[in-house]
Amino acid sequence: MAFLNLFLAFFIALPKNKFLLKRLFCTVILSSGILIMVVPVLWKNSFYLPNKHFMVNQLWFYDKSDKSSTEVKLTSTVNKNNDFKKNINGEHIQNAAGSAQFFISKLDSLTYKKQSRQFSTHQQRLSKMFSYSNINKSDKQKIRKKPSSSVSDNSDNNTTVSQIKEVLPWHTRPDKFDHLNENFVYRNLNAFQANKIETVGLIIIVSSAPSRVDRRLAIRQTWLKQCKSTSKLSVKCVFLTDWKPSSYGVDLQSESIKYGDIYFQNLTGGYDFGKRFLYHMVWAMQNFKFDYFLRLDDDYFLCLERFLYEIPMPPNKLYHWGWIHCIEDLVRPDESIILLSRDLIEIFLGQDPETMLCHRWADQMIGIWINTMSLPSFHYRHDIRLHHNPPASFVEKFKNEKNICSTYIGVHGSYPNQMKTFWKNRGISNFNNKKTLNDHSVYCFYNQYMNWKLFLNEFYAEPKLCINDARWDGTFETTYYYGRQGE
């Protein structure tokens, strides 16, 4: 009671005493400043208090697909073999990883050393994302250590970032295309990988059967002579064929040594066109840093000089060019000649390996992929200067056709003798350098949809999961495919 009377007397006398008023004002200002400095420090250090149960070991983010959902907790555990088990509240990690864009962006910032040589406090906490309760004693001691300021000197942080990436499913990892062999589908292809990645603007892959040495020689003596880099585009041309340890296996090896342009693929041949196309994309990604990918058959005569001048530069995004089957409900690109931009190949190869579908025929496989993807700005481009069918070698008018490359940019069904004739009659290089492939291409007026159930006879096949090493009927994997030439 006495304290209350003293307090009232103080406030009654306050207006009459300026000295007390000034003293009170200074006390309030000083106390406010101390609170402003102390509270953030206390809040920051609270992350490391034992009663917070190592809050730094957890990453929280919101599932954007469900606004009403609560926070999703991402954790990982380590077993005795140090193999990661992925769990999100008892479910597989991929269920939430699709909405974890915040996590991926933060993970990229940890690995981008050139931008910053220092870990921020938030990144330090992010780099220790483990379930603390299931880690052995030695690992717990490592987690308790405070990260050093230097990224290069801190091996624990570098190891932790690598482990974080291993926790994610392959298709959600930001570095997945640097580790294609960690995807079971692509590892099973056993694609050759060089020690050093070569940078080119355009990689051209001619798919050729082992026995078609006559076609490869005809190509080398004709349009492959134009495989030269230009001022706007560097180019690399190769043949990919199956390695056959048979009577002509020795001939393949000597051909490879002589010309240096043959690479071998670990495939069985026959009707595995979808698997072969998948191999070509994986092989290109593992060995080249490119802008464009062109794949064509070994019976295609290509006006390569004109093509190199007309290819759009700088590179277009989500780009396709080639021959299109413009048939209602069967719209798809033909695999005999197909040009794709790198980002489109990354979309194809970046699919979830658990759900990725394969098909016996590459054109149907691409159509199935496009059906399931949301690519509103993607369009098939059909070049009206491509002759597709019937094979040109069986068409009378092509026998004496002049200035082939003024009318056409590619002719399918060009067998060795006809290919040499086309080369002789290709004409002069008087085309308009200002035009691109886009100026000669049209779009199919049907919706870009393909129903695989509408195909008949040998072209009918049910798509299957790639991860199961898909095969169809078992008879086609060793059956020799004679092609349209019939020999």
Side-chain angles (χ1 to χ4, degrees):
M1 191 67 181
F3 176 80
L4 179 61
N5 292 333
L6 182 61
F7 184 81
L8 292 174
F10 173 79
F11 272 92
I12 292 174
L14 187 59
K16 300 179 181 179
N17 194 329
K18 294 182 179 181
F19 174 77
L20 290 177
L21 185 62
K22 292 180 179 179
R23 195 167 183 178
L24 178 62
F25 177 79
C26 292
T27 302
V28 171
I29 295 299
L30 181 62
S31 300
S32 300
I34 293 173
L35 288 175
I36 290 174
M37 291 185 292
V38 171
V39 169
V41 175
L42 293 175
W43 173 260
K44 183 177 180 180
N45 292 336
S46 66
F47 283 95
Y48 294 97
L49 294 178
N51 60 356
K52 293 293 182 180
H53 193 63
F54 267 79
M55 197 178 232
V56 296
N57 301 322
Q58 303 172 7
L59 175 66
W60 300 80
F61 53 87
Y62 293 94
D63 186 357
K64 297 181 180 179
S65 62
D66 184 6
K67 295 182 179 179
S68 63
S69 64
T70 56
E71 296 169 331
V72 182
K73 180 178 178 181
L74 173 63
T75 64
S76 65
T77 61
V78 180
N79 60 19
K80 296 181 180 179
N81 297 324
N82 293 325
D83 295 325
F84 282 84
K85 298 178 181 178
K86 298 169 278 293
N87 299 278
I88 294 185
N89 292 341
E91 298 178 0
H92 196 274
I93 194 172
Q94 69 184 38
N95 297 334
S99 60
Q101 297 301 320
F102 167 78
F103 169 69
I104 294 176
S105 63
K106 291 299 181 182
L107 192 56
D108 282 336
S109 66
L110 287 176
T111 58
Y112 190 41
K113 301 178 183 179
K114 294 182 179 179
Q115 181 176 0
S116 175
R117 304 296 294 180
Q118 298 285 336
F119 272 111
S120 67
T121 304
H122 178 71
Q123 289 171 331
Q124 292 173 6
R125 296 195 294 267
L126 188 63
S127 66
K128 291 186 174 182
M129 197 180 61
F130 292 102
S131 177
Y132 186 71
S133 59
N134 292 330
I135 299 179
N136 58 41
K137 184 176 181 180
S138 60
D139 287 334
K140 287 182 180 180
Q141 293 174 352
K142 291 182 180 180
I143 291 179
R144 288 194 183 101
K145 293 180 180 179
K146 185 177 181 180
S148 63
S149 60
S150 173
V151 176
S152 60
D153 295 335
N154 191 354
S155 59
D156 286 343
N157 276 331
N158 292 336
T159 301
T160 303
V161 171
S162 174
Q163 291 170 333
I164 292 174
K165 291 181 178 180
E166 291 180 12
V167 171
L168 289 173
W170 178 89
H171 67 288
T172 65
R173 291 172 51 178
D175 64 340
K176 56 180 173 289
F177 298 116
D178 295 329
H179 304 279
L180 286 172
N181 281 333
E182 295 181 18
N183 181 319
F184 176 79
V185 175
Y186 308 140
R187 183 171 66 248
N188 195 43
L189 293 175
N190 195 24
F192 170 82
Q193 184 172 6
N195 294 327
K196 184 178 181 181
I197 300 294
E198 183 177 350
T199 300
V200 294
L202 169 67
I203 175 67
I204 298 179
I205 296 176
V206 181
S207 182
S208 181
S211 62
R212 298 297 190 185
V213 60
D214 57 335
R215 295 187 183 183
R216 293 191 292 274
L217 288 175
I219 290 175
R220 293 188 186 103
Q221 295 168 4
T222 58
W223 63 264
L224 200 66
K225 292 181 178 180
Q226 296 178 337
C227 185
K228 300 176 182 178
S229 298
T230 66
S231 58
K232 72 172 186 177
L233 185 69
S234 58
V235 59
K236 174 85 171 182
C237 301
V238 300
F239 293 96
L240 277 180
T241 188
D242 304 334
W243 171 251
K244 295 282 188 178
S246 60
S247 58
Y248 52 84
V250 177
D251 296 333
L252 278 175
Q253 189 173 7
S254 59
E255 183 185 356
S256 175
I257 295 173
K258 182 177 180 179
Y259 296 102
D261 56 5
I262 299 180
Y263 294 85
F264 300 102
Q265 52 200 16
N266 186 33
L267 298 175
T268 57
Y271 285 75
D272 285 333
F273 296 109
K275 184 179 292 186
R276 181 172 285 105
F277 186 77
L278 188 62
Y279 183 99
H280 293 168
M281 290 191 295
V282 171
W283 181 86
M285 289 287 291
Q286 286 187 329
N287 293 280
F288 298 93
K289 183 179 180 181
F290 58 88
D291 297 317
Y292 287 110
F293 165 97
L294 176 67
R295 182 262 180 217
L296 69 163
D297 290 346
D298 60 2
D299 63 340
Y300 233 109
F301 178 83
L302 180 64
C303 297
L304 183 54
E305 183 181 18
R306 183 171 191 175
F307 178 84
L308 293 178
Y309 276 105
E310 291 186 357
I311 193 169
M313 292 298 288
N316 287 190
K317 299 296 185 182
L318 297 179
Y319 192 79
H320 163 270
W321 172 92
W323 172 271
I324 301 302
H325 296 275
C326 187
I327 306 170
E328 188 174 8
D329 293 333
L330 294 175
V331 178
R332 66 199 189 280
D334 195 83
E335 63 190 89
S336 61
I337 184 167
I338 184 168
L339 176 72
L340 302 172
S341 58
R342 182 185 179 91
D343 63 329
L344 191 56
I345 288 182
E346 289 182 347
I347 292 175
F348 289 160
L349 296 183
Q351 299 179 70
D352 184 352
E354 299 286 344
T355 59
M356 184 179 184
L357 293 174
C358 281
H359 198 276
R360 175 191 295 160
W361 303 98
D363 57 347
Q364 293 190 48
M365 186 170 68
I366 296 173
I368 291 169
W369 290 346
I370 294 298
N371 287 351
T372 59
M373 295 176 178
S374 178
L375 302 173
S377 60
F378 170 77
H379 300 284
Y380 294 128
R381 290 176 178 83
H382 174 84
D383 198 311
I384 59 177
R385 300 167 300 166
L386 290 172
H387 173 80
H388 179 66
N389 198 45
S393 293
F394 302 153
V395 178
E396 189 67 26
K397 74 168 186 174
F398 281 119
K399 292 182 179 180
N400 298 309
E401 184 85 15
K402 303 295 182 181
N403 298 321
I404 288 293
C405 291
S406 296
T407 307
Y408 301 93
I409 196 168
V411 183
H412 198 198
S414 302
Y415 307 125
N417 291 335
Q418 188 64 51
M419 189 169 291
K420 294 174 183 178
T421 301
F422 284 155
W423 178 251
K424 182 180 179 181
N425 297 333
R426 67 187 182 280
I428 60 176
S429 303
N430 60 348
F431 44 84
N432 188 347
N433 292 342
K434 294 183 179 180
K435 289 189 175 181
T436 69
L437 299 176
N438 297 337
D439 297 313
H440 302 280
S441 300
V442 296
Y443 300 137
C444 180
F445 51 85
Y446 294 117
N447 291 331
Q448 292 182 158
Y449 172 75
M450 190 210 72
N451 185 353
W452 60 269
K453 297 180 180 179
L454 299 180
F455 288 92
L456 302 175
N457 302 323
E458 70 268 23
F459 297 104
Y460 175 85
E462 183 178 353
K464 299 180 180 180
L465 290 174
C466 302
I467 199 170
N468 293 334
D469 192 20
R471 301 175 186 272
W472 290 266
D473 297 338
T475 59
F476 290 98
E477 59 180 291
T478 56
T479 302
Y480 183 79
Y481 178 71
Y482 290 95
R484 302 189 303 171
Q485 188 177 0
E487 59 181 51

